[in-house]
Every structure is written in C-alpha cells, then in structure tokens.
C-alpha cells in the first residue's frame, strides 16, 4: 500500500513508526499513569524520536504527512505528561529539549530560520499549546527545577519571531 499513488511507506519512516505504534500498542497504556520512571522516559523518547530523529530532520520533514503525524505524536506525549503529573519534574525536560531543538536555528542559516520554519504552523501551534497547558497543570507543583523549566519554555515562546506568532495567533485564542 502507499500513502499517495507515487509514494511508498518505506520513504517515510515517521509514518512507519506511527503505524507500528498504532498497531502494537494500546493507546490507553501510552496515556496511562505510571510510577515506572524509566518506562515513562523511554515512551517519551521513542515518541519524540519518531517525530524528528535528532540530526535527521530533512528525511522526516519530506514526509507529506509529517505535520499530521507530528501533531499526533505531540498530543499523545502531552496527554501522557499530564497523566503523570507526579513525575512532571522528570518528564517535562524531555519536552523542553525537543522544543528547543525544533526552535533552534539550523547550523549556518539565518537565526530566524529553524527546523519547523513557517511550513508547519499546526505543529508550532500545538507546541505553544503544550507549553501553556503544562504551565496551567504544573506551575502549582512546588518544585523549583520544574518551575525553572516551565519559565524557560515560556521565554522560548517569547523569543519566537513575530511572523511565527502571527501565523498561529488566530488559532491560539480558540
């Protein structure tokens, strides 16, 4: 089978990874609360690594379904994080490191040009919403490290170029 008439699944590793996750995992287990911190971290790293493997963004970004798949991964990850509130101080830094990677300029390119650019506004919007949801759900936790990470993620949002925020601002108010 193919995604589009001329595209094979082999060309799009994110699609393959998500197909395996959907076929082999019970989504209720992914979004479940767990006390096993190592399992929780492995789940988040696997989800995020399937979204954009570190150092290999060109192949992942060429997938015509990248944006849909990335939003799916991000939503699963965010729900997993919120379901595991007691471990938020350990899990949230995984989110922040991926967000910082996605918002970082590409090496040797314009500092305003990051991996996502303006090509994937829905992923950008979902990242912003995930940061805001995390602040709403976790800022009351009395953990200085977690609060520092949440504040760092808010600062990251304020440093986005204004054209990025303009692109998604109409959807953020909904």
């Amino acid at each position: 089978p193919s995604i589009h008439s001329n595209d094979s699944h082999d060309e799009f590793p994110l699609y393959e990874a998500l197909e395996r996750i959907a076929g082999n995992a019970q989504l209720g287990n992914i979004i479940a609360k767990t006390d096993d911190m190592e399992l929780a971290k492995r789940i988040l790293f696997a989800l995020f690594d399937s979204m954009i493997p570190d150092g290999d963004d060109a192949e992942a970004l060429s997938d015509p379904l990248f944006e849909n798949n990335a939003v799916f991964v991000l939503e699963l990850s965010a729900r997993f994080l919120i379901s595991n509130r007691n471990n938020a101080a350990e899990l949230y830094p995984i989110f922040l490191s991926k967000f910082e990677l996605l918002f970082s300029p590409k090496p040797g390119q314009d500092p305003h040009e990051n991996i996502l650019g303006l090509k994937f506004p829905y992923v950008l919007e979902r990242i912003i919403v995930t940061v805001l949801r995390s602040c709403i759900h976790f800022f009351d936790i009395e953990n200085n490290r977690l609060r520092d990470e949440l504040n760092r993620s808010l600062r990251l949002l304020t440093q986005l170029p204004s054209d990025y925020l303009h692109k998604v601002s109409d959807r953020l108010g909904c």
Side-chain angles (χ1 to χ4, degrees):
S2 66
I3 298 169
H4 299 301
S5 59
N6 297 329
D7 300 327
S8 75
H9 290 274
D10 296 335
E11 294 177 42
F12 306 109
L14 178 56
Y15 180 87
E16 289 290 319
L18 290 175
E19 189 173 66
R20 282 193 307 274
I21 289 171
N24 297 326
Q26 298 171 344
L27 293 183
N29 290 338
I30 292 176
I31 304 174
K33 185 176 176 182
T34 181
D35 292 326
D36 185 343
M37 183 55 61
E38 289 308 310
L39 174 64
K41 286 181 178 180
R42 282 197 321 263
I43 288 171
L44 283 179
F45 280 122
L47 285 167
F48 279 133
D49 287 346
S50 74
M51 186 170 130
I52 295 185
D54 291 338
D56 188 20
D57 59 284
E59 185 177 359
L61 296 175
S62 70
D63 182 341
L65 296 175
F66 166 76
E67 189 164 35
N68 296 332
N69 294 335
V71 167
F72 175 70
V73 167
L74 188 56
E75 233 1 82
L76 278 180
S77 302
R79 289 177 187 211
F80 181 78
L81 174 65
I82 290 168
S83 296
N84 287 281
R85 177 183 164 84
N86 291 342
N87 297 316
E90 295 294 321
L91 299 177
Y92 190 75
I94 297 169
F95 280 77
L96 182 56
S97 67
K98 188 54 105 172
F99 297 163
E100 287 174 330
L101 172 72
L102 293 172
F103 290 151
S104 296
K106 293 179 183 179
Q109 295 212 351
D110 182 338
H112 290 349
E113 197 52 41
N114 60 42
I115 290 173
L116 289 178
L118 291 174
K119 296 178 288 190
F120 306 106
Y122 195 52
V123 176
L124 177 63
E125 178 217 337
R126 291 287 88 199
I127 290 172
I128 293 170
V129 168
T130 299
V131 167
L132 297 175
R133 283 170 64 193
S134 297
C135 290
I136 289 167
H137 286 278
F138 304 136
F139 217 89
D140 66 322
I141 296 174
E142 294 188 25
N143 181 303
N144 289 336
R145 179 176 168 233
L146 177 59
R147 286 184 181 166
D148 287 346
E149 299 284 328
L150 292 169
N151 281 320
R152 199 164 115 206
S153 63
L154 289 171
R155 277 192 303 279
L156 183 65
L157 297 182
T158 65
Q159 294 167 357
L160 287 172
S162 60
D163 52 337
Y164 286 37
L165 296 175
H166 180 72
K167 183 84 172 178
V168 299
S169 63
D170 61 329
R171 292 197 304 249
L172 288 174
C174 297

